[in-house]
Amino acid sequence: MPRNMASDTIDFPSYLQMSVDFFSAPAIIEEARKSRKIGGLTFPFAELLIAGGVVPIFVPRLNKGRRYDVINAAIAARNALGMRNIARGLDFLRSVDGSGTVINVAGGIINDIISSLNETYEDAAKDAINTGTPIDHCYGARALFGLYKKLGHLIDVNLGIDLRCSVFFNYHESLEINKFVKNNYILDMPYEDSAAGLDFYEQEVWDFLRFQEKATGRRFDEAKFRNVLEDANAAKELIKGVFLDIAPGDVLPCSPATFSVLNSLLVYSQIDYNSRLQRYVEGLKALVQEMHDRVDQPSKRFDATGRPRLIYTPMFGGFEPEIAQYADEIGARVYYPDWVIYGACEPVKTTGNLVRNYAEGLMRFQHGFGFNNEEMANNIVSVARRMKADGIIFCEVFGCRSMCTGHRMLKDLIRHDGLELPVNVITFNNIGDSIGQVKTRVSAMVEMLKGR
């Protein structure tokens, strides 16, 4: 368990609440299925599903990871006592895991957010290879393919979004070809940024909405869509506040290792808003407020003065989580601002033609990844500056033949602009591969930054 994580967790009720909500997906979906349809998705665009009366789910959340019994106990205790009392006492955990102290078990719940999800991805990626998925496909595509093979039957309708990545397009297509999911739809992307391209995207959104209506028997509600967009915009603004207001400061609400795991929680949970948007917004408000409160309390805050700020990106296609813990141990901090960089945290206008507005939001997402690597590199540098980053860890995912080759353009851009922003490129294939070598490179980068 990362240093200080247990002590951070036991007195961080809003964090514990969002963690339990994240891991309680199997129970949420089982209850929702009695009266509603379930919609799967890969990228953070759940609003279309929600406005169509569908419960969104990021499929990896449906996997029951290790110590799922602890999560079930937390849900039961939360319902009976309330999360703040649980965070203070945590007596319910003694009956589940008597082998460790209460504080360590509490920290273990949060640690499971990422470690259990990583194990889920690892098993799924291996299963995908055994099923015949090309080994040169990127880790993210392999893992999601394996997860849909195992859990896709729980989905009533599935939304895929095309990117400038042939592997991800093939992954989306393969779900239908292999009959892992029924009612699969892939939003095609326009390959030009123009009025005609936006018209195309708007029609694609309308086509999906009609497809969804036919698949679920529920009509898309435009009035509800406006409310959904307003809630989603509130969530995005809160998430941006964590990355752009709190993360750059020298005083953090918790240890850097804990804050890194919290970053991961936000990246994964934004995809489907933990399947309950309004509750998610309420939880985020409480979380951000508690962060500010902790920063104001000397006994709870963490002084990160002198600790280099490292941005790790892209991480959505597969990443090495141990780096964040290791960075904490050697006096640095690692952040995961993927959705801020790639445009998924920008608000959607809630006046006028809402569907066209949403198409504009999707277009921004395409610009976030970049219609080319130069555009993507500019987005990374822009966010790095706003976060006062001291360095960038660029994750070159094996098998990615488009976006992850962008580190060359990123280095050229930084050099051209005369910025003191070193880029450390690490090659990623599977979690744990060459971790010693990766730590050596990160350590050298941190030593260099501290020596400035």
Side-chain angles (χ1 to χ4, degrees):
M1 183 188 309
R3 184 180 59 182
N4 299 321
M5 183 172 288
S7 57
D8 282 336
T9 302
I10 200 168
D11 192 31
F12 211 156
S14 58
Y15 186 13
L16 186 58
Q17 173 70 70
M18 287 197 70
S19 306
V20 171
D21 285 349
F22 180 89
F23 250 154
S24 60
I28 292 172
I29 297 305
E30 184 178 350
E31 179 62 28
R33 185 174 295 284
K34 296 176 183 177
S35 58
R36 301 172 67 185
K37 300 296 184 179
I38 311 301
L41 72 167
T42 303
F43 293 107
F45 292 98
E47 295 86 358
L48 296 174
L49 297 168
I50 299 170
V54 175
V55 179
I57 187 69
F58 179 45
V59 171
R61 292 182 57 226
L62 290 174
N63 193 67
K64 295 181 180 180
R66 61 185 175 87
R67 293 179 66 190
Y68 186 68
D69 52 351
V70 176
I71 302 301
N72 278 333
I75 295 169
R78 175 195 63 196
N79 294 340
L81 303 173
M83 188 53 66
R84 187 165 294 276
N85 287 333
I86 289 176
R88 288 174 178 169
L90 295 167
D91 288 337
F92 73 98
L93 290 169
R94 289 197 181 99
S95 64
V96 179
D97 186 347
S99 61
T101 64
V102 174
I103 191 171
N104 282 333
V105 177
I109 291 180
I110 303 301
N111 201 33
D112 279 353
I113 293 170
I114 193 66
S115 63
S116 207
L117 197 59
N118 290 337
E119 289 180 358
T120 293
Y121 273 127
E122 282 289 285
D123 292 342
K126 293 175 183 175
D127 192 30
I129 295 299
N130 294 335
T131 307
T133 301
I135 195 168
D136 64 343
H137 278 196
C138 75
Y139 181 85
R142 283 185 280 124
L144 287 166
F145 182 88
L147 285 162
Y148 270 91
K149 176 188 175 186
K150 178 181 179 180
L151 302 165
H153 65 282
L154 299 173
I155 305 301
D156 298 301
V157 63
N158 192 65
L159 172 60
I161 298 177
D162 189 16
L163 301 171
R164 60 178 182 99
C165 173
S166 59
V167 168
F168 253 88
F169 184 80
N170 290 337
Y171 143 69
H172 284 305
E173 278 195 323
S174 70
L175 301 183
E176 186 171 343
I177 293 171
N178 289 280
K179 295 182 169 49
F180 290 163
V181 62
K182 54 187 175 182
N183 301 316
N184 189 50
Y185 193 95
I186 306 172
L187 276 176
D188 200 6
M189 72 174 283
Y191 285 89
E192 61 175 273
D193 184 11
S194 64
L198 184 57
D199 289 341
F200 173 87
Y201 229 152
E202 181 183 357
Q203 187 58 52
E204 277 290 289
V205 175
W206 277 116
D207 289 347
F208 167 73
L209 292 173
R210 301 302 173 232
F211 176 87
Q212 181 176 247
E213 287 180 339
K214 184 177 180 180
T216 65
R218 289 177 174 266
R219 289 192 61 80
F220 169 73
D221 187 330
E222 191 160 352
K224 181 178 181 180
F225 190 35
R226 179 174 284 102
N227 294 333
V228 169
L229 291 177
E230 289 173 349
D231 286 339
N233 286 346
K236 294 172 184 177
E237 189 64 25
L238 289 161
I239 290 172
K240 283 173 66 176
V242 172
F243 286 100
L244 302 179
D245 297 334
I246 298 175
D250 282 328
V251 179
L252 298 178
C254 52
S255 71
T258 307
F259 198 70
S260 295
V261 176
L262 191 151
N263 278 197
S264 301
L265 171 63
L266 294 180
V267 170
Y268 287 127
S269 64
Q270 186 184 336
I271 293 173
D272 62 7
Y273 301 120
N274 279 351
S275 302
R276 293 179 292 191
L277 177 56
Q278 289 182 335
R279 180 185 178 90
Y280 187 75
V281 175
E282 292 170 1
L284 273 177
K285 288 179 180 176
L287 178 65
V288 172
Q289 183 59 54
E290 190 171 1
M291 285 183 170
H292 286 297
D293 291 344
R294 291 173 69 93
V295 166
D296 291 337
Q297 298 179 58
S299 63
K300 294 183 178 181
R301 66 193 184 194
F302 188 99
D303 186 355
T305 303
R307 287 174 171 253
R309 307 170 186 86
L310 306 178
I311 285 179
Y312 188 119
T313 191
M315 58 84 76
F316 67 89
F319 78 113
E320 183 54 70
E322 194 171 335
I323 289 179
Q325 178 180 344
Y326 179 67
D328 186 358
E329 293 171 356
I330 62 175
R333 35 181 160 155
V334 172
Y335 299 142
Y336 305 117
D338 267 17
W339 297 146
V340 179
I341 292 171
Y342 304 121
C345 286
E346 295 307 305
V348 174
K349 290 185 295 185
T350 56
T351 58
N353 184 337
L354 299 184
V355 172
R356 190 172 184 84
N357 295 348
Y358 202 76
E360 289 177 345
L362 288 167
M363 185 73 84
R364 278 197 302 272
F365 188 58
Q366 303 292 2
H367 274 292
F369 284 116
F371 282 91
N372 54 61
N373 282 336
E374 183 178 3
E375 186 174 29
M376 185 183 77
N378 272 297
N379 295 336
I380 294 173
V381 171
S382 175
V383 171
R385 282 173 157 172
R386 295 177 70 184
M387 293 185 67
K388 300 179 181 178
D390 299 296
I392 296 171
I393 300 175
F394 191 96
C395 184
E396 185 181 36
V397 179
F398 174 80
C400 180
R401 293 176 285 275
S402 52
M403 289 171 285
C404 284
T405 61
H407 62 82
R408 297 177 181 85
M409 184 63 70
L410 179 61
K411 288 182 175 181
D412 288 344
L413 175 67
I414 291 171
R415 190 181 303 112
H416 179 270
D417 290 351
L419 301 175
E420 290 191 5
L421 191 62
V423 178
N424 195 335
V425 180
I426 63 171
T427 302
F428 176 88
N429 189 9
N430 295 293
I431 293 175
D433 284 2
S434 306
I435 187 63
Q437 194 174 58
V438 170
K439 285 182 176 180
T440 298
R441 301 192 67 176
V442 172
S443 179
M445 185 181 200
V446 171
E447 285 182 19
M448 182 268 292
L449 291 170
K450 286 186 172 182
R452 284 182 174 179

